[in-house]
Amino acid sequence: MLVDIFSSFDDHNSVFMSLYILIWMMTLTILSTFNMMFWAGPNRWNFVLNLPKSVMASLVMRSFGVKLGGFINIMCSLFLLLILFNLLGLVPYVFSPTSHFAMTLSLGCPFWLSLIISGSLHNPTSVIASLLPAGAPAGLNPILVLVETASICIRPITLSVRLAANITAGHIVLGLIGTYLSSGLFIYSVIALSLLIFIQIMYFIFEFGIALIQAYIFSLLITLYSDEHPSQ
């Protein structure tokens, strides 16, 4: 039984008919059918799986990440994983991993750090030079370097907070609407219940779009960070 609305984000909270196993089942399904084009003919399921991959592939092809070996495959996998976790969070009694800051930080920090380490090993001079904007006054150089360093260091935090905050806020609003709807099922008038049901349905559709958009934004920002990788 949930103590309050925020207890739904406790991954150790045991509830009746818990469907945590659904996350593992869907993940294994996606992994087993990720490259089904090699042994299966064109079908609707294959088209649905290839659509996120084609979207992310076209995005990476326009960035410097296309020159990084295996980057396009990693980003396609990350995009599909975020879509899966965000959408499964809308299923009742299923815990949403992307609503936890620890989960989003564990996704954003390795990708950000790998680009930083790769660029530093590839061309450390270019990485250090990118900390200072061209044409800046000499007296402001130390301050500008500190500001640019701080802006780079907080990138994984902003990535993680953006995804977790949007998913968490949406689930809280859905829970509040559902609480008012269930508590007033035998109290409110038919018009009020109809209005609450309409709001619940429309906001659920809105959250469905938010789940897709946040997965795209998370992958997009990491792809944009790859443009700062030194080319030589």
Side-chain angles (χ1 to χ4, degrees):
M1 183 175 180
L2 300 182
V3 179
D4 53 42
I5 192 170
F6 293 99
S7 62
S8 61
F9 302 104
D10 183 8
D11 55 341
H12 298 290
N13 183 37
S14 298
V15 293
F16 179 65
M17 293 178 59
S18 177
L19 298 179
Y20 297 158
I21 190 63
L22 184 61
I23 295 180
W24 294 98
M25 292 173 58
M26 291 299 296
T27 303
L28 293 176
T29 302
I30 294 297
L31 290 176
S32 61
T33 58
F34 189 77
N35 289 319
M36 63 183 297
M37 66 184 70
F38 292 110
W39 64 81
N43 51 56
R44 293 182 180 180
W45 178 242
N46 199 356
F47 174 77
V48 171
L49 287 180
N50 284 330
L51 186 59
K53 292 192 293 183
S54 61
V55 171
M56 190 51 55
S58 63
L59 182 64
V60 176
M61 292 296 291
R62 297 193 298 267
S63 67
F64 183 78
V66 69
K67 299 181 180 180
L68 302 176
F71 186 76
I72 185 172
N73 294 329
I74 294 176
M75 293 311 301
C76 290
S77 303
L78 175 66
F79 187 43
L80 281 173
L81 179 69
L82 291 176
I83 291 177
L84 173 66
F85 282 170
N86 290 346
L87 293 181
L88 283 180
L90 298 176
V91 180
Y93 300 107
V94 176
F95 170 71
S96 179
T98 50
S99 64
H100 268 228
F101 181 73
M103 177 65 182
T104 56
L105 185 62
S106 64
L107 288 176
C109 190
F111 284 100
W112 165 82
L113 189 59
S114 61
L115 292 173
I116 296 295
I117 294 177
S118 175
S120 301
L121 295 178
H122 183 69
N123 193 342
T125 304
S126 179
V127 173
I128 296 176
S130 64
L131 297 178
L132 184 63
L140 296 178
N141 286 346
I143 300 177
L144 292 177
V145 170
L146 292 176
V147 171
E148 187 66 21
T149 303
S151 65
I152 294 176
C153 291
I154 65 174
R155 283 178 178 177
I157 300 178
T158 57
L159 272 175
S160 307
V161 171
R162 180 184 290 107
L163 178 59
N166 281 278
I167 299 300
T168 301
H171 290 178
I172 290 176
V173 174
L174 283 175
L176 287 174
I177 298 175
T179 301
Y180 281 112
L181 184 60
S182 59
S183 61
L185 190 60
F186 301 101
I187 301 176
Y188 298 157
S189 63
V190 177
I191 298 178
L193 288 177
S194 301
L195 180 61
L196 283 175
I197 293 175
F198 176 76
I199 295 175
Q200 181 82 331
I201 294 175
M202 295 305 297
Y203 196 83
F204 183 85
I205 297 175
F206 175 75
E207 277 301 307
F208 188 89
I210 290 296
L212 300 179
I213 292 174
Q214 289 303 317
Y216 177 78
I217 292 177
F218 191 93
S219 304
L220 172 64
L221 290 177
I222 295 179
T223 304
L224 292 178
Y225 294 159
S226 67
D227 289 334
E228 300 181 5
H229 194 282
S231 57
Q232 297 180 354

